[in-house]
Amino acid sequence: MALQAASVVSSAFSVPKEGKSSASFKESSLFGVSFSDNLKAEFSSVALSCKREFKPVRAQTAATASPAITRGASEGKKTLRKGSVVVTGASSGLGLATAKALAESGKWHVIMACRDFLKAERAAKSAGMPKENYTIMHLDLASLDSVRQFVDNFRRSERPLDVLVCNAAVYQPTAKEPSFTAEGFELSVGTNHLGHFLLSRLLLEDLNKSDYPSRRLIIVGSITGNTNTLAGNVPPKANLGDLRGLAGGLNGLNSSSMIDGGDFDGAKAYKDSKVCNMLTMQEFHRRYHEDTGITFTSLYPGCIATTGLFREHIPLFRLLFPPFQKYITKGYVSEEEAGKRLAQVVSDPSLTKSGVYWSWNKDSASFENQLSQEASDAEKARKVWEVSEKLVGLV
């Protein structure tokens, strides 16, 4: 998401511990406001990271056999029907823009998987989405029971599943204390990672049954989870450590609410969840791509400075972040453009390579980007997978 400069802008404000709305500036200058010299350097670093075009690299293509899933019905077949795609978090932001782009193409029926049914309905109507090309279904990723109920309801609809897009996310950068999911997991990781992990695992069977020519499972990543970028090095940095908090259940009682076992930090919890998302994509690829032919990918669509993901940030941040992206970093990407990019990963015949983390350069051309050392650690991906299986009740 559009968080590559968010931590920097956030660090320009000091918020009282009780989380009130008053904010004070540190020294230096931006938009006529004072900041410190240290923050000047950070703004410069983020500006470079938003402009930087990474050299394309080859994604890992090795896959390990899985006895549970075999190649599906689409092998060697073609279908002329509309594609059927589930998009989580499709009631606003990137998810809505993606759903709109796909629905308006006339080639896709979009299942908008959302927590707030009425909000999604109003959003779809306001966006002018063709009614015959979308269906809204309830899904609360902060409840594993809701995830299972969604899967049951989807199967009762008897729709095929050709593409699954795991997009929804929770971001609580100013939270002083953790919030928790229905099962007691820290909210950001419980929603962004564990909810999507269970959803993806359960719907893998449905993807494999599809007769669509190109079946895909897409998990939205973030530049902020990649410490091989300047933006990814803005504190607090993503770091899963030895997974002791995750293994303990992230409940804040008999274990830390943070994956690495450290003190709670809302911004870091989000970044850690994105690392888990990118590791999960790669583990799906290693375990299932060769045997199923399903394409597993992740992506970073660009700096969406106006996204509702920042709705829980302080008002001054929400005011200054968009112009900072537009006029300082020049890395601003509209929700509409970002939605088209994600829709491209859903449907473009040229983006069928599995195990890839997609990005776009300043000319809006897609390329294979490089993940950080932690976000591409095969052993850590395996451990995250195995711990997550236990937490969501799959083993």
Side-chain angles (χ1 to χ4, degrees):
M1 300 302 292
L3 294 175
Q4 74 280 13
S7 296
V8 175
V9 178
S10 299
S11 65
F13 315 111
S14 59
V15 182
K17 290 186 178 179
E18 63 270 24
K20 301 296 183 183
S21 61
S22 59
S24 62
F25 287 104
K26 299 176 184 178
E27 297 179 352
S28 183
S29 69
L30 178 69
F31 309 120
V33 182
S34 293
F35 298 99
S36 68
D37 289 339
N38 180 55
L39 282 171
K40 282 184 180 178
E42 288 190 2
F43 272 104
S44 298
S45 295
V46 176
L48 289 172
S49 72
C50 288
K51 290 182 178 180
R52 179 181 175 188
E53 293 179 31
F54 297 96
K55 294 181 179 179
V57 297
R58 292 187 177 181
Q60 295 178 345
T61 55
T64 56
S66 168
I69 302 289
T70 55
R71 193 173 290 271
S74 68
E75 183 68 17
K77 295 184 178 180
K78 293 183 178 180
T79 179
L80 297 178
R81 63 172 173 80
K82 284 183 181 178
S84 180
V85 52
V86 169
V87 181
T88 68
S91 63
S92 63
L94 176 61
L96 177 60
T98 303
K100 176 180 170 66
L102 291 169
E104 288 184 342
S105 73
K107 299 178 180 179
W108 291 90
H109 188 91
V110 183
I111 294 87
M112 301 171 68
C114 303
R115 183 178 55 191
D116 188 329
F117 188 96
L118 292 178
K119 177 184 176 182
E121 183 63 47
R122 288 193 295 268
K125 288 182 179 179
S126 178
M129 291 172 56
K131 192 168 182 59
E132 67 276 13
N133 288 348
Y134 73 88
T135 298
I136 300 170
M137 295 182 64
H138 178 262
L139 170 63
D140 183 356
L141 289 162
S143 166
L144 299 183
D145 285 343
S146 178
V147 172
R148 293 186 176 93
Q149 187 63 54
F150 172 84
V151 173
D152 288 344
N153 291 339
F154 177 78
R155 288 172 176 167
R156 288 194 187 99
S157 75
E158 298 185 347
R159 287 189 179 277
L161 178 62
D162 306 317
V163 178
L164 171 60
V165 178
C166 297
N167 161 74
V170 172
Y171 176 51
Q172 297 182 309
T174 61
K176 303 302 177 184
E177 299 293 336
S179 299
F180 298 93
T181 68
E183 287 75 24
F185 307 125
E186 187 280 318
L187 186 62
S188 294
V189 177
T191 303
N192 305 351
H193 167 57
L194 292 174
H196 277 134
F197 179 81
L198 178 60
L199 180 69
S200 300
R201 288 290 304 276
L202 294 178
L203 287 178
L204 183 63
E205 176 184 344
D206 301 78
L207 278 172
N208 198 49
K209 289 178 180 178
S210 166
D211 62 352
Y212 205 71
S214 179
R215 300 152 299 145
R216 309 182 191 189
L217 195 162
I218 301 159
I219 306 177
V220 176
S222 173
I223 196 173
T224 62
N226 280 301
T227 55
N228 61 337
T229 66
L230 290 173
N233 277 283
V234 175
K237 295 192 291 185
N239 182 6
L240 305 188
D242 60 4
L243 308 180
R244 65 180 63 186
L246 185 65
L250 300 172
N251 55 34
L253 297 174
N254 55 352
S255 76
S256 169
S257 60
M258 299 294 290
I259 290 178
D260 64 354
D263 294 334
F264 176 73
D265 185 302
K268 183 177 184 298
Y270 171 85
K271 295 178 183 181
D272 288 349
S273 74
K274 290 286 106 179
V275 176
C276 289
N277 287 159
M278 292 180 282
L279 288 171
T280 297
M281 177 276 290
Q282 293 165 88
E283 191 66 9
F284 263 115
H285 168 76
R286 280 187 284 267
R287 289 173 181 255
Y288 296 115
H289 172 65
E290 186 174 271
D291 285 348
T292 67
I294 296 171
T295 295
F296 301 97
T297 56
S298 186
L299 73 149
Y300 170 65
C303 309
I304 316 171
T306 54
T307 177
L309 189 64
F310 299 122
R311 58 186 171 270
E312 295 191 28
H313 224 306
I314 61 175
L316 197 53
F317 172 90
R318 298 198 302 269
L319 176 66
L320 294 181
F321 189 53
F324 172 73
Q325 285 287 350
K326 287 181 180 179
Y327 306 117
I328 304 301
T329 70
K330 307 295 186 182
Y332 176 85
V333 175
S334 67
E335 287 183 348
E336 180 181 11
E337 175 62 23
K340 289 178 180 178
R341 291 175 178 183
L342 180 46
Q344 182 184 3
V345 179
V346 169
S347 60
D348 195 317
S350 69
L351 302 183
T352 57
K353 186 173 182 179
S354 187
V356 172
Y357 172 64
W358 294 108
S359 292
W360 285 258
N361 62 24
K362 64 182 180 181
D363 298 318
S364 292
S366 60
F367 65 95
E368 297 175 36
N369 210 339
Q370 184 174 18
L371 292 166
S372 68
Q373 182 176 353
E374 181 173 50
S376 58
D377 185 329
E379 179 60 19
K380 185 161 284 189
R382 181 187 65 80
K383 290 179 180 178
V384 167
W385 181 281
E386 292 175 353
V387 172
S388 299
E389 280 186 318
K390 294 177 182 177
L391 292 178
V392 303
L394 289 175
V395 293

